């Protein structure tokens, strides 16, 4: 093996170690790290020693366990602070749009205002699709793009949102919201199945499917959503979309630091 190959292998293994620590819920021993990565304990020890020299990884000598170091945290904070949700979500939206062959958007929940806004979109190759206006705001109470957020909020926050906009009507049909109890029950159903689905509530003739996105604190900060013309929507279409939308929403949450199972 040449020198370049050796360096390449070392970099790949070091990156894998950093990924494990970024996703771990706490510190790790060399034995635990080796079990996760498949690396020999001697290799793990050597790489940890190199990373510890620059404070990327820190050793608790008393307990012989390793954890994320201050330099790792500093770098991660700098990157996160300069990267918006739309930029982080871009590759996940692309995977959904490519596999589902439908437009995919990322919605941010503006908690202080009780509204949602689309901050990013990825169009598919399909000639019949919806173009989404970015950064306009609206109530999250209707449509899958909003209900995928509301369904995963605490009950008190759901009720507060409902109370503040009870008189609102669906944009397309003009229909009023159901009673608070019925609305909350519907949100509980969405939460139980892991996604929201709506028909024609915000765009006439469209079906929306949305999956929640969580941050590192476990708070619902938005949703990854797909909108499909109802004329070509079927159970097979729904299954195909969910097969990529749900795992990509989970992966996006993980990229944002969420380690839970919600």
């Amino acid at each position: 093996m040449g020198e370049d190959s050796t360096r390449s292998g070392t970099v790949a293994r070091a990156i894998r170690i950093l990924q494990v620590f970024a996703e771990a819920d706490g510190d790790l021993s060399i034995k635990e790290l080796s079990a996760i990565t498949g690396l020999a304990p001697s290799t793990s020890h050597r790489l940890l020693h190199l990373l510890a020299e620059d404070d990327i990884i820190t050793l608790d000598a008393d307990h012989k366990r390793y954890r994320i170091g201050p330099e790792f945290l500093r770098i991660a904070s700098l990157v996160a602070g300069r990267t918006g949700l739309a930029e982080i979500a871009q590759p996940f939206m692309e995977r959904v749009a490519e596999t589902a062959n439908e437009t995919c958007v990322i919605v941010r929940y503006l908690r202080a205002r009780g509204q949602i806004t689309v901050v990013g979109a990825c169009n598919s190759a399909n000639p019949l699709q919806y173009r989404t206006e970015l950064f306009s705001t609206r109530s999250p109470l209707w449509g899958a793009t909003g209900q995928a957020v509301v369904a995963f909020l605490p009950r008190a926050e759901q009720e507060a949102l409902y109370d503040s906009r009870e008189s609102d009507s669906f944009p397309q049909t003009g229909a009023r919201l159901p009673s608070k109890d019925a609305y909350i029950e519907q949100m509980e159903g969405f939460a139980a199945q892991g996604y929201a689905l709506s028909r024609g509530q915000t765009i006439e003739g469209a079906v929306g499917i949305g999956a929640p996105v969580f941050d590192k604190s476990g708070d619902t900060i938005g949703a990854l959503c797909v909108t499909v013309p109802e004329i070509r929507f079927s159970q097979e279409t729904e299954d195909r979309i969910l097969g990529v939308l749900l795992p990509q929403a989970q992966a996006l949450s993980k990229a944002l630091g969420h380690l839970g199972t919600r």
Side-chain angles (χ1 to χ4, degrees):
M1 182 181 293
E3 183 179 356
D4 288 345
S5 297
T6 301
R7 288 178 177 173
S8 176
T10 299
V11 170
R13 291 167 181 164
I15 290 173
R16 177 59 182 142
I17 286 175
L18 294 179
Q19 290 172 331
V20 170
F21 274 99
E23 296 167 1
D25 186 17
D27 52 21
L28 296 168
S29 67
I30 288 179
K31 182 178 180 180
E32 291 167 339
L33 179 63
S34 296
I36 297 171
T37 61
L39 298 174
S42 59
T43 301
S44 296
H45 183 270
R46 177 174 59 85
L47 292 171
L48 287 169
H49 178 73
L50 290 173
L51 292 168
E53 288 181 350
D54 291 315
D55 290 330
I56 300 296
I57 297 295
T58 298
L59 168 64
D60 180 348
D62 292 337
H63 300 90
K64 296 183 180 179
R65 298 182 70 82
Y66 294 82
R67 62 179 180 275
I68 291 173
E71 183 62 12
F72 192 162
L73 292 173
R74 186 185 74 84
I75 293 171
S77 296
L78 287 173
V79 173
R82 295 172 183 171
T83 307
L85 177 60
E87 294 172 281
I88 298 173
Q90 186 63 33
F92 303 95
M93 288 191 292
E94 289 175 355
R95 293 182 195 118
V96 173
E98 181 179 357
T99 302
N101 198 28
E102 302 291 350
T103 298
C104 181
V105 302
I106 180 67
V107 172
R108 176 178 280 282
Y109 176 41
L110 306 174
R111 179 170 272 101
R113 299 167 60 182
Q115 296 180 317
I116 59 168
T117 183
V118 176
V119 296
C122 183
N123 295 317
S124 72
N126 201 310
L128 179 58
Q129 58 185 310
Y130 295 102
R131 300 289 176 176
T132 304
E133 182 182 357
L134 299 181
F135 307 117
S136 62
T137 59
R138 68 170 179 82
S139 165
L141 292 180
W142 56 72
T145 50
Q147 292 169 353
V149 172
V150 177
F152 295 86
L153 296 175
R155 175 67 177 264
E157 193 169 354
Q158 292 176 336
E159 292 186 351
L161 281 171
Y162 184 96
D163 291 342
S164 68
R165 297 180 178 274
E166 183 178 1
S167 62
D168 288 356
S169 60
F170 295 146
Q172 292 301 322
T173 66
R176 297 294 183 180
L177 290 171
S179 69
K180 184 193 294 186
D181 288 344
Y183 186 84
I184 297 299
E185 183 178 358
Q186 183 184 31
M187 295 304 103
E188 290 174 345
F190 287 158
Q193 68 186 13
Y195 65 95
L197 188 148
S198 66
R199 295 175 181 268
Q201 290 188 1
T202 58
I203 301 176
E204 186 176 2
V207 177
I209 303 178
V213 174
F214 306 100
D215 66 9
K216 62 182 179 181
S217 300
D219 292 331
T220 311
I221 63 165
L224 202 61
C225 308
V226 169
T227 304
V228 187
E230 192 166 17
I231 192 172
R232 64 166 182 256
F233 188 77
S234 64
Q235 186 61 55
E236 181 182 355
T237 305
E238 180 179 345
D239 292 343
R240 185 181 75 251
I241 291 172
L242 290 174
V244 63
L245 182 67
L246 294 180
Q248 290 305 313
Q250 292 167 2
L252 173 55
S253 296
K254 192 173 183 180
L256 293 168
H258 181 59
L259 301 177
T261 56
R262 285 181 63 181

